[in-house]
Each structure stands twice: as structure tokens, then as C-alpha cells.
Amino acid sequence: MSALWHGFADMGAVERDGAFVVARGEGAYIWDEAGTRYLDATAGLWFTNVGHGRAEIADAVAAQLRTIAHYSNFGDFAEPTTQLLAEKLATIAPVPDSKIFFTSGGSDSVDTAAKLARRYWHEMGRPDKTIVVGRQRAYHGMHVAGTALAGIPVNREGYGELMADARTVEWDDAKSLLALIEEIGAERIAAFFCEPIIGAGGIYLPPDGYLAEVRRICRDNDILFVVDEVVTGFGRIGGSWFASSRFDLEPDLMTTAKGLTSGYVPMGAVFIAPRIAEPFFSGGVWWRHGYTYGGHAGAAAAALANLEIVEREGLLNEAKRLESTLHNKLAPLAEHPRVAEVRSGLGAVAAIQLADPSEGLPLVKTLRAHGVSGRAAGQGAMQISPSFVMTDDQVVELVAGFTAALG
């Protein structure tokens, strides 16, 4: 019996069958306690962009902790490494002169954006704009606002009403957003939240033109456009730092986490466009919001080292290479009788959609027997989101593992 309560788990089953304990990692591989090696198909949970075992990130964190581990960013307090990271992020932001608000992770970032969107309209003299809108299948973390916003009903079961001012529209039809605006009025809607690629909800790529269309609808109706790049940010979109840059989305707010530190230390950040920040930076306004560990100095050191690796090793381009390799090598699996479809071709991410969603969790264990650590996302969608250091040969190894596991 273990004292550890796992997230997203049937703990009775975990207690019965035991945990899969990951003891170490290097590059695109992980090892269990017995020393068995597995190809990591998911980069942890979408986050280990630069691969496992990067000593220079550990060294950067250790050096920072020896100087000062952290100090609150509240009020006028700041720490040099955190300031340096904010300036670095501002230089790669999809909207020039963005401000950076640090959080402890992706769920924090989403809740921060939801609160900031509402508070922005309050400061603009439009306090009735409180409704936030998400999409079916979308995932926006597991805090109250993110759970209410998301389009995954099972994640809301058993909690009652989490947030009254949250609505959901179809994930792939911009006209459904227009229909909601016509129904309740743009004067009541604060923001629309959009994942460029739906992640945990099943890995669904945006229909052609969809992102540009919802962006236009938001602009036309004075609704803040919030792009959730917790998954796609920091290179996973392939070839660019962010999907917002690749598709010229110019978000009002952009939520990030995961790839910011490649998961070496927990950290998130919200990118805030200048026009949204302006009422709060003009003086006299207190935004009473923040996190004890937001902008943690050790995490900031990890992030700076991580971003340096991405730039030095050209990993944005490597993610673009993986976009093509995954698309080409996974395509034959679509012909397998247990596979409904393969979704790929945008970023270092893909999904093998099982014809029978109930086979997802058993297949995860079967994959391990064939040397691959995987995960089921959404309704029977086998998640593939490797580290950017995964080679083309390792992709072939990954596909061979899936092929063997499918039988």
C-alpha cells in the first residue's frame, strides 16, 4: 500500500496492480525501477521538450538555489533571474511588448487569464462582461475556472456547478461561437479560450481557417481572444515558439507552462498584450492576484537554461522535422482494424484513435511490454508528443512498438 494518491487514476486499480515507477530518464528514453528501458512517447505529459537528463538545467537550478531560492514577486519585490526570464519571454512573445505574469503551472495560468479578462473589462467600465467561453473537447487544466471552461463533461462530474459564467461551443465550427454571441450578447462575454490543438481532449487539429475565423469574430465583437498554449507553446507547434506566432493569431492573453522549463521545475506564464496590460500599468490599480511561487527564482533559472538549449540545438526546427516524420511514419497504422484514424501533420504531436475507446487504458500497459511508455487521452486517443530530441530512427522504433501492441 502506498500513501501516494495519483491524479486521474482509479486508485483501487493502482493499489491492486501497482504503480509504474519511472526511476530515471535520458534523452527520449525512460527506465523503470527494474532497469527496463522504454521509449517515452509523450515526453512525460507533453512537457519534456528538450529530453530527459539535461544536467545543465539541474546545474542552473542548483546554482540559483545556492544564491537565493526564491522571493515573492508581490508588491515591488523582484529577483534578478525572474526579471531576466520575463525580458527573455517578452522578446519571443507573439505580440510585441507583452507583459509576463508568472504562475506555478498551466492550471494557474488559465485561472489567471480568466480572472484577468473579467477584471480588464471592469477597469474598462464594462463590468457586465463576465462570461468566459470554451470549446467542446477542450482541456484547460483542473482549477475551478479551467474545469468549468473545458469541454470534457466527465471532468466536471460530482462537483456541482463550478462557475456559472462559463459556456461551451462546438470545437470545430466558428459559427457556433457566433450563435452564442447572438444568443447572450457580446456585451456579456469577456473572453473566448482556444487551444490551437486540442490536447488532453483527444489531440484534434484545428480545421483549415478555424483559428483565423474565431480570432476575427472575437475582434469584431470586442471579446478577448485567449490562446491556451500550455501544450503547443515553446516549440511543440513545430518551427515556431508558439502557435500564435505560426498562425499570426495576436492573442490578447496567452497561457503557457509545460515546455517553459521542459518540466524540470514547475512553472507557468501568462503573456499579456500591451492593450490589456495598459489599465493596470497606468497607475492606481491593484490587481489582487498572484501565487506564492509565481516566478520562482529556481524555476526561472531552469527556464532560461531550457530556452538556451532549444535555441542552441535548433529544437524548433527539430519539432518541425518530427511533425513530418510522425505524419509519414504513423500513417500506415490508420489501416489497422483496431484504429479508427490517425491525427497528425501539425506540430510534434499526433493521436492514434482507437476504434474501441475502452481499449485505451489496456493498450497503455501492452505498449510497455513492447518498450514504449504511452498514454490514452480523450476517448481512446493514444497520445504521441515526443521530446524534440527524438530521432527519425526512434520514431520508427515507436511505430514498431505500437504495431506490436495493436497485434
Side-chain angles (χ1 to χ4, degrees):
M1 300 286 285
S2 170
L4 177 62
W5 191 335
H6 299 236
F8 284 91
D10 175 349
M11 285 309 301
V14 175
E15 288 285 87
R16 181 189 69 236
D17 301 333
F20 174 62
V21 180
V22 179
R24 70 182 182 95
E26 182 179 343
Y29 292 102
I30 57 172
W31 283 259
D32 66 16
E33 287 184 306
T36 304
R37 190 184 77 172
Y38 305 85
L39 191 60
D40 183 4
T42 62
L45 193 62
W46 316 90
F47 53 70
T48 315
N49 292 359
V50 301
H52 299 284
R54 293 286 193 160
E56 72 180 88
I57 299 180
D59 291 343
V61 174
Q64 180 62 52
L65 299 188
R66 291 189 185 99
T67 304
I68 183 165
H70 180 49
Y71 210 86
S72 164
N73 299 156
F74 290 7
D76 63 353
F77 290 103
E79 188 283 327
T81 307
T82 304
Q83 289 181 311
L84 185 61
L85 177 59
E87 296 304 320
K88 172 62 179 178
L89 295 182
T91 67
I92 64 173
V95 178
D97 301 319
S98 288
K99 302 297 184 182
I100 310 298
F101 190 96
F102 287 113
T103 71
S104 301
S107 294
D108 281 359
S109 293
V110 170
D111 268 37
T112 294
K115 288 176 69 176
L116 181 55
R118 290 176 164 195
R119 183 60 189 272
Y120 169 78
W121 290 118
H122 175 87
E123 293 304 318
M124 298 301 289
R126 303 176 70 181
D128 292 335
K129 288 174 74 69
T130 60
I131 293 174
V132 289
V133 182
R135 297 189 292 161
Q136 295 172 357
R137 299 180 176 173
Y139 179 84
H140 296 294
M142 292 309 298
H143 288 349
V144 167
T147 306
L149 264 170
I152 306 176
V154 293
N155 285 355
R156 296 197 293 270
E157 288 179 358
Y159 300 121
E161 186 175 48
L162 293 173
M163 194 168 79
D165 288 344
R167 301 288 190 276
T168 305
V169 298
E170 294 177 28
W171 76 274
D172 58 350
D173 184 4
K175 292 183 175 61
S176 67
L177 176 58
L178 274 176
L180 179 68
I181 293 169
E182 292 171 0
E183 176 189 344
I184 64 178
E187 69 278 2
R188 296 179 58 203
I189 301 175
F192 174 64
F193 283 67
C194 180
E195 292 175 282
I197 296 173
I198 286 177
I203 305 99
Y204 290 92
L205 311 186
D208 289 344
Y210 174 83
L211 296 174
E213 181 65 8
V214 291
R215 182 70 182 89
R216 183 191 62 77
I217 290 169
C218 288
R219 273 283 188 261
D220 289 349
N221 290 277
D222 220 6
I223 295 168
L224 299 190
F225 186 53
V226 184
V227 181
D228 185 344
E229 297 226 33
V230 171
V231 166
T232 53
F234 301 104
R236 186 155 299 281
I237 193 61
S240 300
W241 283 109
F242 305 103
S244 294
S245 302
R246 180 166 174 173
F247 296 109
D248 196 25
L249 298 179
E250 297 185 338
D252 296 304
L253 300 168
M254 184 175 74
T255 59
T256 70
K258 298 187 185 293
L260 173 56
T261 65
S262 281
Y264 279 70
V265 182
M267 191 178 217
V270 181
F271 289 60
I272 301 145
R275 78 179 185 98
I276 308 303
E278 194 278 332
F280 302 91
F281 277 71
S282 59
V285 176
W286 281 61
W287 186 33
R288 298 183 183 276
H289 176 79
Y291 302 97
T292 299
Y293 300 121
H296 190 281
L304 286 167
N306 173 64
L307 298 177
E308 165 63 22
I309 290 171
V310 172
E311 291 182 321
R312 185 179 71 238
E313 298 185 5
L315 294 185
L316 298 182
N317 289 332
E318 292 300 294
K320 193 71 167 64
R321 169 188 58 81
L322 281 167
E323 173 182 300
S324 175
T325 303
L326 289 171
H327 186 60
N328 293 330
K329 299 299 183 183
L330 289 170
L333 290 179
E335 303 303 317
H336 194 284
R338 295 175 65 187
V339 175
E341 67 173 347
V342 173
R343 295 188 286 273
S344 62
L346 179 61
V349 60
I352 299 170
Q353 179 65 54
L354 300 178
D356 181 356
S358 69
E359 293 186 343
L361 292 178
L363 188 62
V364 169
K365 293 190 175 182
T366 306
L367 274 171
R368 292 174 192 161
H370 296 283
V372 176
S373 174
R375 176 175 180 265
Q379 294 296 306
M382 303 305 295
Q383 173 187 331
I384 297 173
S385 54
S387 300
F388 304 163
V389 298
M390 182 176 281
T391 66
D392 287 356
D393 286 344
Q394 287 171 331
V395 172
V396 172
E397 179 184 341
L398 182 149
V399 173
F402 271 95
T403 301
L406 287 166

